[in-house]
């Protein structure tokens, strides 16, 4: 039931996983923020350690094309949640979500896992720490409301002789 969760001033939904989490080969369609949903100022796909990463401010949650990555699942999901909450007699101000998408295409699950060689899991944790610190400086309460994992096909498309690919198919 929507509303049964603990509500904070900013509720973070972290999107993580393989290429589907990054909107590979998709157009960006959430180009305006109709509610109060947020992202870190550098963008929903911005990553700690990369040029332009800015954890010092929030910006409206909108999507953009970055290389071959477009619309992530996070903006539409969060906008849909707020729309549903408003339809149930809530207000947009009661439902402020922060969206981030830190996955990576072309990686196997093991590479994206804690300690994996992609470093993306650790970057995801840094995004969470940075968002919490920003909320603290703004006097806002913060929670990680959801963490979404999006599975692509990299494990499956490994060579047939690869034991991981066989296990993945089972």
């Amino acid at each position: 039931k929507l509303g049964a969760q603990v509500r904070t001033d900013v509720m973070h939904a972290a999107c993580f996983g393989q290429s589907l989490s990054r909107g590979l080969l998709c157009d960006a369609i959430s180009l305006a923020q109709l509610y109060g949903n947020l992202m870190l100022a550098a963008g929903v796909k911005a990553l700690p350690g990369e040029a332009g990463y800015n954890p010092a401010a929030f910006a409206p949650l909108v999507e953009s094309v970055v290389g071959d990555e477009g619309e992530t699942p996070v903006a539409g999901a969060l906008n849909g949640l707020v729309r549903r909450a408003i339809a149930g007699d809530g207000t947009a101000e009661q439902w402020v979500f922060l969206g981030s998408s830190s996955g990576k295409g072309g990686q196997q699950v093991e590479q994206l896992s804690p300690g994996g060689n992609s470093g993306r899991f650790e970057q995801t944790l840094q995004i969470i720490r940075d968002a919490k610190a920003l909320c603290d400086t703004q006097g806002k309460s913060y929670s990680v409301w959801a963490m979404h994992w999006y599975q692509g096909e990299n494990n499956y498309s490994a060579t047939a002789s690869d034991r991981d690919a066989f296990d993945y198919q089972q």
Side-chain angles (χ1 to χ4, degrees):
K1 177 182 176 203
L2 188 59
Q5 301 80 5
V6 173
R7 211 173 317 164
T8 56
D9 295 328
V10 175
M11 298 170 285
H12 191 169
C15 181
F16 187 60
Q18 293 174 323
S19 57
L20 295 175
S21 72
R22 300 285 289 187
L24 184 66
L25 303 177
C26 294
D27 292 331
I29 58 174
S30 297
L31 302 176
Q33 182 47 244
L34 305 176
Y35 308 103
N37 293 327
L38 305 168
M39 63 183 179
L40 291 176
V44 69
K45 296 184 226 30
L47 297 166
E50 291 186 352
Y53 179 73
N54 180 5
F58 290 124
L61 175 58
V62 293
E63 295 281 1
S64 63
V65 174
V66 177
D68 59 359
E69 299 173 338
E71 183 84 8
T72 70
V74 74
L78 296 181
N79 290 339
L81 278 170
V82 176
R83 190 171 39 252
R84 181 176 168 204
I86 292 170
D89 297 326
T91 65
E93 295 78 25
Q94 295 172 307
W95 297 92
V96 176
F97 288 97
L98 170 71
S100 64
S101 181
S102 56
K104 185 174 184 180
Q107 302 290 295
Q108 293 189 355
V109 173
E110 298 78 10
Q111 293 171 296
L112 295 168
S113 297
N117 65 7
S118 74
R120 290 296 174 102
F121 182 82
E122 291 72 21
Q123 287 175 305
T124 302
L125 295 181
Q126 187 60 50
I127 291 168
I128 291 168
R129 285 190 290 271
D130 290 342
K132 168 74 168 104
L134 180 55
C135 284
D136 287 348
T137 64
Q138 295 182 354
K140 295 179 179 179
S141 59
Y142 169 85
S143 63
V144 176
W145 203 71
M147 185 156 183
H148 309 158
W149 171 267
Y150 288 87
Q151 185 73 30
E153 60 184 23
N154 195 270
N155 286 73
Y156 180 76
S157 61
T159 63
S161 62
D162 185 357
R163 181 67 189 170
D164 289 338
F166 175 78
D167 290 343
Y168 184 80
Q169 292 176 43
Q170 303 307 311

